[in-house]
Amino acid sequence: EVQLVESGGGLVKPGGSLRLSCAASGFTFSNYAMIWVRQAPGKGLEWVSRISNGGGTSIHYADSVKGRFTISRDNAKNSLYLQMNSLRAEDTALYYCARDAGAINFWGQGTLVTVSS
Amino acid sequence: DIVLTQSPDSLPVSLGERATINCKSSQDISYSSNNKNSLAWYQQRPGQPPKLLIYWASTRESGVPDRFSGSGSGTDFTLTISSLQAEDVAVYYCQQYYSPPHTFGQGTKLEIK
């Protein structure tokens, strides 16, 4: 059974940092590109970042997070990460880890990040 | 970045009736090499993560009821629910995966009339 389990969310002050993790199981993790998508409370979906399969040499970010967020993966640990620095109030959202097969064919349940003083 | 614009924002439909949601792309998202359109549709029920319904604009994901269908090419796409069921109440999103960032439409809230 495919599973994606996010962790690392929480309450952080503006300007602070958080590192999100996503533990994958039930499929060959290294074969898939992986992405982070976020959803602010009551709002729509926003694509955040993507890392290619294998060594993850191809990486892309949304303009809204470029220079502040860093995506990475550890195929030996079947894990995806999102390092978030210089956090802003507008980064408050539920962050989903998802499997990218072109279209997104599997989503985690999400981890909530709240940026507030 | 490619902008996807969905219409309408909200759609009230009676049970058993047809629901149609549109998605317009700011640029062509079809591959000339294979004539495939990099467009997906997702359903998000309250409190749940999104669920993939349709990919390549018209290919139904495994397990998705056949009342859901996708059509369109180039810049204009449509998701159709042929006969609305109560469990179809949700927000529906289109997404392009032609070029990063793989943007989403703003969503269409489907409700029972």
Side-chain angles (χ1 to χ4, degrees):
Chain A
E1 178 194 5
V2 174
Q3 282 197 318
L4 296 171
V5 180
E6 302 93 337
S7 60
L11 175 63
V12 62
K13 289 181 168 53
S17 298
L18 273 180
R19 189 193 195 209
L20 305 184
S21 299
C22 172
S25 60
F27 65 102
T28 304
F29 180 71
S30 60
N31 285 355
Y32 286 86
M34 298 295 295
I35 66 170
W36 290 97
V37 175
R38 68 185 181 183
Q39 187 167 35
K43 302 298 184 182
L45 302 171
E46 182 185 13
W47 187 95
V48 173
S49 183
R50 178 186 188 272
I51 186 167
S52 59
N53 61 347
T57 53
S58 176
I59 287 174
H60 295 91
Y61 298 97
D63 287 344
S64 58
V65 307
K66 203 172 293 182
R68 301 187 299 122
F69 290 11
T70 302
I71 191 172
S72 62
R73 66 189 298 160
D74 185 336
N75 292 334
K77 294 183 178 179
N78 289 340
S79 293
L80 176 72
Y81 305 102
L82 187 68
Q83 177 66 43
M84 304 186 297
N85 298 332
S86 302
L87 283 162
R88 307 166 179 166
E90 54 265 36
D91 296 318
T92 294
L94 186 63
Y95 284 73
Y96 292 105
C97 162
R99 188 174 75 175
D100 185 352
I104 302 167
N105 64 2
F106 199 83
W107 302 67
Q109 292 295 314
T111 187
L112 182 63
V113 172
T114 303
V115 184
S116 175
S117 54
Chain B
D1 297 358
I2 296 174
V3 176
L4 298 182
T5 303
Q6 292 183 226
S7 61
D9 290 332
S10 178
L11 180 62
V13 176
S14 300
L15 290 173
E17 295 300 304
R18 178 184 298 261
T20 301
I21 299 170
N22 300 299
C23 177
K24 186 173 184 65
S25 174
S26 61
Q27 66 184 72
D28 192 325
I29 55 174
S30 62
Y31 288 109
S32 56
S33 58
N34 59 9
N35 207 32
K36 285 192 170 184
N37 293 272
S38 303
L39 194 284
W41 289 97
Y42 303 89
Q43 175 193 66
Q44 187 177 32
R45 295 184 175 123
Q48 295 294 316
K51 171 189 171 185
L52 177 63
L53 297 175
I54 303 285
Y55 58 97
W56 294 128
S58 60
T59 302
R60 200 178 302 115
E61 173 73 334
S62 176
V64 172
D66 61 7
R67 64 180 180 273
F68 291 91
S69 64
S71 63
S73 66
T75 61
D76 292 281
F77 302 90
T78 300
L79 174 70
T80 301
I81 307 171
S82 59
S83 176
L84 189 71
Q85 306 299 303
E87 62 265 31
D88 300 335
V89 169
V91 180
Y92 292 83
Y93 296 92
C94 58
Q95 184 213 16
Q96 64 81 19
Y97 48 96
Y98 180 80
S99 69
H102 295 168
T103 44
F104 291 92
Q106 81 276 17
T108 294
K109 187 174 184 179
L110 181 59
E111 53 194 25
I112 304 296
K113 185 189 289 183

